[in-house]
Amino acid sequence: MNQEQTARRLLRSSADRSYDPQVDIDWRAPIDEDKLFFPTHRLPLYGTPLWDSLSPEQRIELARQEAITLSSVVIHAELSLMRSLLRAVQEGAPASDPALYALTEVADECRHSTMFAKATTWLGGSVVPQSRLVTKLVNVVSAIIPQGPFFWASALFFEEPVDRLQREAMNDESIQPLLRMVYRIHVLEESRHVTYAREAALRTMTEAGPLSRRLNRIGVALLGWSLGRTLLRPATYRRAGLSSRAAYRAALANPRYHESLRWMSERLVAFCKDAGFIEGWLTSAIWRRSHLL
């Protein structure tokens, strides 16, 4: 199926199955004191000596802050993705089916960002800021890098690992019902975005020349290396009443967290192998340091 056919199919799916979180989620629902904020075994600090030292109350607060952080990561990722999608429409043919689907995806991401912002407020917190350096780098990259394999792979790195984590949480009856609904909406609509990004990544990687493919492989390997760090924010631990530096380092070095990263990225890594992103000694060396293989 080519780009135009994929876009037309996804446009039909978007028309048939889309949600409005302002209407479809009861934001007045109270927090259920008997439910969890985050799957315990997926918390980055779970299984560390620091985790073992925490009281039950501290563990609950840490899980709440991790749920807020997850929402924050999604918001920042979707803002970056929207910027790049709008650039693609502006530089292309705005009335084409791929452009129309890109605009539809931007509309989805606007609703998702609103939904996760409201979820953060419902959790009693505020969005964890992304570092200014990262924000500036993302803005520069999205403005000057051609929309080829690296761009589409980066969209998948934004979407697929979080998607798998949220799939698990939305099916877990021990998690807060409102969060399960938020994740269910996100998973359903993001599945279309993943389909579109996968098709585009494969197509542009096939069309790229030998040098471009090598450079894109290195860029994607660096995305893999950065994933585990992107999902962690020192501010999360400071807000939970812990030492931000000590907790961040403990989470980053935690073998259980590495195991969760591999689980979250399993389908993504398999796709990257099939698409030719994991080839060559340098690329493979970077991937090995990512904890995703």
Side-chain angles (χ1 to χ4, degrees):
M1 188 177 293
N2 62 30
Q3 183 185 24
E4 287 73 18
Q5 291 171 324
T6 300
R8 283 194 291 271
R9 179 172 68 83
L10 294 176
L11 280 167
R12 289 193 297 270
S13 175
S14 298
D16 292 338
R17 300 187 70 187
S18 291
Y19 289 86
D20 182 350
Q22 299 275 32
V23 175
D24 295 316
I25 297 177
D26 181 10
W27 297 106
R28 297 168 299 178
I31 288 175
D32 188 332
E33 300 297 336
D34 296 324
K35 300 293 185 179
L36 303 176
F37 293 107
F38 204 95
T40 301
H41 64 295
R42 299 297 178 196
L43 289 167
L45 278 177
Y46 179 72
T48 64
L50 178 54
W51 169 265
D52 293 339
S53 73
L54 300 180
S55 68
E57 293 75 17
Q58 286 176 308
R59 291 177 179 181
I60 291 171
E61 178 59 19
L62 175 61
R64 187 177 73 90
Q65 293 298 337
E66 288 287 8
I68 291 170
T69 297
L70 180 63
S71 293
S72 303
V73 168
V74 172
I75 290 170
H76 289 129
E78 292 184 338
L79 290 173
S80 298
L81 180 58
M82 283 188 279
R83 174 194 290 271
S84 296
L85 287 170
L86 288 172
R87 174 192 165 199
V89 174
Q90 189 175 44
E91 294 179 356
S96 65
D97 286 326
L100 293 177
Y101 179 70
L103 290 172
T104 301
E105 185 169 332
V106 168
D108 288 345
E109 302 294 23
C110 281
R111 292 195 303 275
H112 295 169
S113 295
T114 299
M115 179 171 68
F116 282 102
K118 290 180 73 67
T120 297
T121 300
W122 180 83
L123 285 163
S126 58
V127 173
V128 181
Q130 184 172 261
S131 81
R132 292 183 179 181
L133 176 60
V134 169
T135 299
K136 289 180 179 179
L137 285 173
V138 169
N139 289 342
V140 170
V141 169
S142 64
I144 65 174
I145 298 296
Q147 291 193 311
F150 174 80
F151 165 71
W152 294 111
S154 67
L156 292 172
F157 273 90
F158 288 155
E159 293 167 344
E160 293 214 46
V162 169
D163 176 269
R164 193 164 197 195
L165 178 60
Q166 291 181 344
R167 282 179 187 272
E168 181 181 64
M170 78 183 196
N171 292 316
D172 185 344
E173 294 186 359
S174 70
I175 301 297
Q176 295 286 337
L178 185 141
L179 291 180
R180 292 175 65 200
M181 186 60 184
V182 167
Y183 298 155
R184 186 171 290 112
I185 290 173
H186 193 235
V187 163
L188 174 65
E189 298 188 342
E190 286 294 326
S191 65
R192 296 191 291 261
H193 306 172
V194 168
T195 297
Y196 192 66
R198 281 183 168 228
E199 184 279 331
L202 283 171
R203 172 172 44 80
T204 54
M205 191 64 169
T206 301
E207 295 170 351
L211 177 59
S212 177
R213 282 196 293 271
R214 284 195 289 272
L215 293 174
N216 276 281
R217 286 189 193 109
I218 293 171
V220 171
L222 291 171
L223 284 173
W225 174 83
S226 67
L227 177 64
R229 292 161 174 79
T230 300
L231 297 175
L232 300 178
R233 301 281 169 90
T236 304
Y237 305 115
R238 184 176 66 252
R239 293 181 178 193
L242 306 177
S243 165
S244 59
R245 179 174 296 182
Y248 177 83
R249 289 178 174 175
L252 196 58
N254 184 9
R256 286 183 181 266
Y257 178 52
H258 302 163
E259 182 181 332
S260 286
L261 286 173
R262 285 189 290 274
W263 171 80
M264 290 165 62
S265 307
E266 192 173 29
R267 293 181 67 248
L268 174 59
V269 171
F271 171 79
C272 286
K273 288 180 179 177
D274 292 341
F277 285 113
I278 307 179
E279 295 180 10
W281 69 269
L282 177 57
T283 299
S284 298
I286 298 171
W287 274 96
R288 283 194 295 272
R289 294 182 64 85
S290 71
H291 303 296
L292 301 186
L293 297 183

